[in-house]
């Protein structure tokens, strides 16, 4: 309705994109985000959300560009750094993914999902104690999300205990 009343309202197009994405209509969501960006090129959240949609479409290079644009426009958008971390993981750039995810946490220290993602990255990099510490921090921030516990269980089950508690 807001778009009918004011078709050049970028936030309405972006909100529609969020709704369409939640409903699983990724192609229409992508179009909505692109329209929001066309209207308001410095709309960081729309660039970030577009990056997520592009990732879901397997367009990793485009997603990377979109998320970097979101960060360029708003360097304090923690979610963009975290989302870029996800893209970099998929691109096999784990060291860059670690740096991007750590930046998200620096900006938003209570970002439980970013701590969990960082734990996954650190585990893949063989930094097992740091991974465990990151998972524990995620649980400390938000103890209600069960996948954090699953990550810890998997880490402990699959790891050599001698690799843990090394200071």
């Amino acid at each position: 309705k807001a778009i009918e009343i004011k078709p050049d309202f970028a936030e309405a197009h972006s909100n529609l994109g969020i709704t369409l994405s939640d409903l699983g209509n990724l192609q229409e969501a992508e179009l909505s985000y692109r329209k929001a960006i066309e209207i308001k090129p410095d709309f960081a959240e729309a660039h970030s959300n577009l990056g997520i949609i592009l990732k879901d479409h397997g367009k990793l290079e485009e997603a990377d560009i979109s998320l970097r644009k979101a960060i360029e426009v708003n360097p304090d958008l923690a979610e963009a750094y975290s989302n870029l971390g996800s893209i970099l993981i998929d691109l096999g750039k784990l060291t860059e993914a670690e740096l991007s995810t750590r930046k998200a946490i620096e900006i938003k220290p209570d970002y439980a999902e970013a701590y969990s993602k960082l734990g996954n990255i650190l585990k893949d990099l063989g930094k097992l104690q740091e991974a465990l510490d990151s998972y524990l921090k995620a649980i400390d921030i938000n103890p209600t999300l069960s996948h954090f516990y699953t990550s810890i269980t998997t880490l402990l089950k699959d790891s050599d205990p001698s690799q843990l508690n090394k200071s």
Side-chain angles (χ1 to χ4, degrees), residues 156 159-165:
L156 294 174
S159 299
D160 176 354
S162 69
Q163 296 298 310
L164 300 173
N165 292 320

Side-chain angles (χ1 to χ4, degrees), residues 73-112:
V73 171
N74 182 356
D76 294 325
L77 186 60
E79 291 77 5
Y81 285 98
S82 181
N83 292 335
L84 178 59
S86 295
I87 302 301
L88 293 167
I89 290 167
D90 289 351
L91 290 170
K93 300 177 179 180
L94 293 180
T95 302
E96 284 183 62
E98 177 186 355
L99 293 173
S100 187
T101 306
R102 286 188 187 278
K103 182 67 176 176
I105 291 167
E106 177 187 318
I107 294 167
K108 189 175 174 182
D110 63 343
Y111 198 171

Side-chain angles (χ1 to χ4, degrees), residues 1 18 47-48 59 65 99 135 145 154 160:
K1 186 77 174 169
I18 292 167
H47 283 285
S48 183
K59 300 175 183 176
I65 292 166
L99 293 173
Y135 292 139
L145 293 176
T154 302
D160 176 354

